[in-house]
Amino acid sequence: MTEFLDILANTAFWVAVLRIATPLILGTLGVLLCERAGVLNLGIEGIMVAGAFTGWLTVYAGAPLWAGVAVAALTGALFGLLHAFLTVGLALSQHVSGLGITLLATALSSYGYRVSFAKVSTPPTITPFAEMHWLPIPVLSQQTALTLLALLAVPVTAYLLFKTPIGLAVRMVGENPQAAEGQGLSVGRVRTGAIVAGSALMGVAGSFLTLSAFNAFFFNMVNGRGWICVALVVFASWRPGKALLGALLFAFFDALQLRLQQMGDALLPYQLYLMLPYVLSIVALVLVARKASYPQALMKPYRKGER
């Protein structure tokens, strides 16, 4: 018990929690935007990989770090546009399209890396974002600008969704697209815009891994974070504030299991510690999901004029 309290009292632990949570916050907000408009985007895993690779490659080629973030966002937006064409324009299965996007984006990133660095045995490195030591808050001062961007994105997303006409349109096409069409809204355009914007956030989430958390690109670095984001949206009941809480909760468990593994007197196999954040997150998800109110038109294709 004493060692557990020592972990919680350590500033480095909370720094790790916020660092682990950053890509989850951005990715979860991206999924949330898509699903609020009625479209499931299972392409997030591949989009994060593509964002991580293109953002890193842009900086490696000599561009500024923020240019790498912009390219990652553009990469995500392009894959989002493809997903929107398949699911909104052609009304194809959102599950199949999303999984196809994940496979395509991952394969293209792998191919691009192998072509660009055919004779390199170790991943080339870049100079990542620096920590913000000028901030007076200890936990934040050891983070980078992308973490601050992720934290600011939460209230901005909440404001756009619940306080602006654009947000009302997004929520309407996710709840009742027929009513939205009756009000003169283009369901296809609104859904496409939400998917593109959400996918851009997913690309930025991936770029955090190569431009901030690490300084190189390597395969499997996303490591299932995209699927965690999909689950966190359900945990958050499709609300940005709760999405932040869910991301921090998972990151807390993940950082905790890393500290528990490092304890010299740990008697349990390390695999059990690796399971800890996922098991506890599943328990929390089950408890919350039973009361979650999901968008009524989620995963339901819409064709103009149909009732």
Side-chain angles (χ1 to χ4, degrees):
M1 186 63 181
T2 303
E3 293 177 333
F4 178 73
L5 293 177
D6 289 340
I7 291 175
L8 297 184
N10 192 339
T11 301
F13 172 74
W14 296 105
V15 170
V17 168
L18 191 52
R19 185 178 296 119
I20 293 170
T22 298
L24 299 178
I25 295 170
L26 292 167
T28 303
L29 291 177
V31 177
L32 189 148
L33 280 176
C34 296
E35 295 194 6
R36 271 290 182 176
V39 179
L40 176 68
N41 191 350
L42 295 180
I44 178 173
E45 185 80 5
I47 291 174
M48 288 181 68
V49 173
F53 172 67
T54 57
W56 170 80
L57 186 63
T58 299
V59 175
Y60 181 79
L65 286 165
W66 284 110
V69 175
V71 169
L74 179 61
T75 300
L78 290 176
F79 280 110
L81 190 61
L82 175 60
H83 185 55
F85 171 72
L86 295 173
T87 59
V88 179
L90 301 182
L92 300 178
S93 168
Q94 296 176 12
H95 296 87
V96 175
S97 174
L99 293 175
I101 294 292
T102 284
L103 294 174
L104 176 64
T106 304
L108 287 177
S109 300
S110 175
Y111 176 76
Y113 180 85
R114 295 184 186 281
V115 169
S116 302
F117 305 97
K119 299 181 180 180
V120 174
S121 57
T122 58
T125 60
I126 62 169
T127 301
F129 279 99
E131 295 179 354
M132 301 180 293
H133 294 295
W134 49 271
L135 286 176
I137 305 174
V139 175
L140 281 178
S141 66
Q142 298 180 56
Q143 307 294 338
T144 67
L146 286 182
T147 296
L148 188 60
L149 176 66
L151 294 175
L152 292 175
V154 176
V156 170
T157 303
Y159 179 81
L160 288 175
L161 277 176
F162 298 104
K163 300 293 184 181
T164 67
I166 293 177
L168 178 60
V170 170
R171 289 184 289 120
M172 184 177 289
V173 300
E175 294 287 346
N176 193 332
Q178 290 82 7
E181 183 184 346
Q183 293 296 317
L185 293 174
S186 171
V187 176
R189 290 181 181 178
V190 174
R191 284 188 168 180
T192 298
I195 296 169
V196 169
S199 299
L201 282 175
M202 298 173 195
V204 176
S207 72
F208 171 83
L209 299 174
T210 49
L211 303 183
S212 184
F214 306 103
N215 61 354
F217 174 81
F218 52 89
F219 302 111
N220 300 321
M221 70 184 313
V222 174
N223 196 29
R225 288 179 175 87
W227 310 127
I228 295 298
C229 291
V230 175
L232 287 177
V233 171
V234 182
F235 173 85
S237 301
W238 290 268
R239 303 188 72 87
K242 289 185 178 180
L244 172 62
L245 177 62
L248 290 173
L249 183 64
F250 180 87
F252 173 84
F253 292 143
D254 199 10
L256 180 62
Q257 65 89 9
L258 289 173
R259 296 304 189 280
L260 291 176
Q261 285 191 61
Q262 294 170 2
M263 291 168 56
D265 58 347
L267 301 177
L268 298 176
Y270 76 93
Q271 291 89 345
L272 293 179
Y273 292 115
L274 291 175
M275 288 170 55
L276 178 65
Y278 299 95
V279 172
L280 295 178
S281 297
I282 289 173
V283 172
L285 180 63
V286 170
L287 293 176
V288 174
R290 296 173 63 182
K291 300 179 181 179
S293 178
Y294 62 90
Q296 294 300 303
L298 180 61
M299 295 185 289
K300 296 179 181 178
Y302 177 77
R303 294 178 177 84
K304 187 175 181 179
E306 286 188 352
R307 298 295 177 184

